[in-house]
Every structure is written in structure tokens, then in C-alpha cells.
Amino acid sequence: MSDSRQPLSRPESLHLQVARQIRTQIAAGKLRDGQRLPSTRELATEWSVSGFTIQEAMKILEAEGAIISKPRAGRVVHAPEQRQRGQIKTTKPNIVLIGGYAGSGKTEFGRITARETGWPMLDKDTLTRPVVEAALEFIGCSPNDRESEKYLELIRPREYESLINAMTENVQCGNSAIITAPFIRELRDRSWIERMNETCESLNATLTVAWVYCDPETMLRYIRQRGAARDAAKLDNWANYADSIDVSFRPPMPHVVIDNGSDGSPLKAQAHKLIVSIIGDAA
């Protein structure tokens, strides 16, 4: 768990927010089976909430069996399903493309899907961030710039080119792959969609597109909590940023909507449902 957190926002009750996010971290493998959780006081400081809120969140997670209390060890993660499982093999490689706005939870959903299937996860930021930051500094921009015309015109297209190349190489080796990135411009561009479909067809691969929906309030909470420097411009001008995004957007192609808002079902359940829709009950 990270060392610092921004204050949680409402409307969902604070203890439900804490429980939801710890549950997601466990499902995504960020919190590991057997890992000891910090004390109530430490968690309260980390999440900027009261000790009572933490206690109520822990009650929910204990009732679900997500954590257990052990003598002298305190609360520990209980997730035996995290143990290594074999990769799900299919007749044709599957490409699961996961998009969504910043803070929507697409990376967490990708991690959960990867853990359920054993398929490699290719995340744009993980694959390209060090090179992108170096390139931005080389052209005289902040390494955290994700808004300027220079970034959008010179750097961003190469990020996505690298991501798709990594996907292509995996599929050529017979592997399925999970691809996570915003894909905001790409999934609005019908010519890009056509090229992507043609690429998948040429690779004899099945493409599934998942769009992760999240309400702006929950997005803001996620972005604050991850504390990434690249999000500073969004946080400094959140009202303007929130007005600039269209949360009702859906890709103009066959896709699955993943609801990561406060009313959505757990991401793990939605990931399992998506996998079943791709490969059947073998999931």
C-alpha cells in the first residue's frame, strides 16, 4: 500500500470506499495473500479517515473473508486464489483491449483480468513511461507533461505505436494479451478501429474491447490516491478537466462496459464475467 493518501471524497460512505479499494487491491494482486496489513492507526493516517471508519471497513472485509485476524500478526490478507495458476489456452489468441479515462480503474481491471487468465498484461505507462519522460525532457518539456501540443503530436502517437507493436509480437508467438491504455483518441477514430480490426484479423486473433466507466467523483478519488506526478495538471484544474471529458462516451464498435463507479459490482466479478463471455465456462 502506498505511504500517503489524499482525503477520500464522498458520496459513498467512507468505510465502504476504503473496503472497496482494499478489495480491488487484493484482486489486482497489489496486496498479497498472507501480507500483514498496517494497524488501524496507520491505516487511518494513510487514508485520512478516523479509526472508527477503518474498523468498519475491516468488519466488511473480514465478513467477506478477504482478510483474517491472526494472534500476534494482526490482520492479514486472505486470498489463497492468488496462488499461481496456469495460463488459459484458447484455439485462437485473444486480445483484450481495455480503455477508459484517467482514474477510471482500467489498469486495476487489466491486472485482475491478467491474474484470472494468466495472459500477459501490456500497460502503456509501464512499457513506455521511462522513455517518454526522457524524450519529453530532451525536447524541453516537463517529464510529467501529458497535455501540451508537443506531447500530443510528437510523443503520444509513438507510445501507442510501441504498445501495439508489443501486442503484435506476443500474438505472433501464439499468446493472448491484455492491453491497457486510455485509448481516448483511438476509440473515437473509425479509421484506427478499422486498422486495429484488420491487424487482429491478419493475426488470426479475436479482439474484445472493454471500456471502463467511472463517475468523475470516483475518478478524482482514484487520481488523488495514486499520487502520480503526471496527474498534477488534471488535479490543479480538476473542474476544467472534468468538464472536458465525456463520461457518456462509448466506443463506436462492439464493446463491453465495465462499471467501476460507486454502484458497480466488484471488478473481479466483472472480469470473470468478461472472461466467460470470451472463452466460455472453462473460466
Side-chain angles (χ1 to χ4, degrees):
M1 301 176 77
S2 63
D3 294 331
S4 62
R5 303 276 178 174
Q6 294 294 327
L8 290 168
S9 62
R10 301 179 188 276
E12 190 178 35
S13 298
L14 291 177
H15 71 286
L16 295 177
Q17 293 184 42
V18 173
R20 168 185 284 270
Q21 294 188 40
I22 291 178
R23 186 188 301 118
T24 296
Q25 289 176 356
I26 294 171
K30 292 183 177 179
L31 291 175
R32 305 291 297 157
D33 182 42
Q35 180 177 340
R36 181 183 178 276
L37 293 179
S39 68
T40 296
R41 179 178 295 180
E42 290 169 331
L43 285 171
T45 300
E46 182 177 340
W47 291 94
S48 300
V49 297
S50 69
F52 174 78
T53 295
I54 295 298
Q55 294 281 12
E56 292 300 297
M58 294 300 107
K59 287 179 183 178
I60 292 173
L61 294 171
E62 287 195 58
E64 295 174 350
I67 63 172
I68 57 177
S69 295
K70 291 186 174 182
R72 294 187 296 276
R75 302 187 190 97
V76 298
V77 174
H78 181 245
E81 70 278 2
Q82 287 184 347
R83 295 169 188 154
Q84 187 67 35
R85 63 176 67 184
Q87 183 179 141
I88 294 175
K89 292 291 187 179
T90 54
T91 304
K92 296 171 59 176
N94 282 278
I95 297 169
V96 183
L97 187 152
I98 302 172
Y101 288 107
S104 62
K106 58 187 175 294
T107 300
E108 288 77 6
F109 184 75
R111 286 178 63 103
I112 293 169
T113 306
R115 292 190 60 81
E116 290 286 311
T117 59
W119 299 342
M121 174 176 162
L122 306 176
D123 178 75
K124 179 180 72 67
D125 285 339
T126 302
L127 288 174
T128 66
R129 185 186 301 154
V131 174
V132 166
E133 290 177 351
L136 284 166
E137 289 186 310
F138 183 77
I139 63 175
C141 297
S142 164
N144 303 317
D145 170 27
R146 298 297 185 276
E147 311 293 335
S148 73
E149 185 174 341
K150 280 188 175 181
Y151 165 75
L152 295 174
E153 298 302 323
L154 297 177
I155 307 297
R156 189 183 185 281
R158 299 298 176 259
E159 286 186 275
Y160 282 84
E161 182 180 347
S162 298
L163 182 63
I164 298 305
N165 287 344
M167 175 207 79
T168 299
E169 189 165 37
N170 268 276
V171 175
Q172 286 173 336
C173 294
N175 298 322
S176 295
I178 297 164
I179 321 299
T180 58
F183 289 111
I184 306 298
R185 286 187 172 188
E186 288 71 20
L187 292 178
R188 293 180 185 274
D189 183 348
R190 291 185 181 276
S191 62
W192 185 91
I193 292 172
E194 289 176 3
R195 291 196 300 274
M196 187 65 180
N197 283 326
E198 289 170 359
T199 297
C200 293
E201 185 175 349
S202 69
L203 294 169
N204 193 32
T206 301
L207 173 65
T208 301
V209 174
W211 178 258
V212 182
Y213 161 80
C214 194
D215 57 90
E217 293 81 7
T218 305
M219 274 191 246
L220 174 59
R221 181 173 71 239
Y222 288 165
I223 290 174
R224 279 178 171 167
Q225 287 165 5
R226 70 187 183 189
R230 66 187 183 279
D231 294 325
K234 295 181 179 68
L235 292 174
D236 289 343
N237 301 279
W238 181 257
N240 290 337
Y241 173 73
D243 286 342
S244 72
I245 63 177
D246 178 12
V247 294
S248 65
F249 168 75
R250 300 292 182 269
M253 63 187 300
H255 65 277
V256 176
V257 175
I258 305 302
D259 184 356
N260 195 29
S262 59
D263 295 328
S265 59
L267 289 185
K268 185 174 182 179
Q270 296 188 66
H272 184 75
K273 183 177 179 180
L274 175 66
I275 295 164
V276 168
S277 73
I278 296 172
I279 66 173
D281 294 335

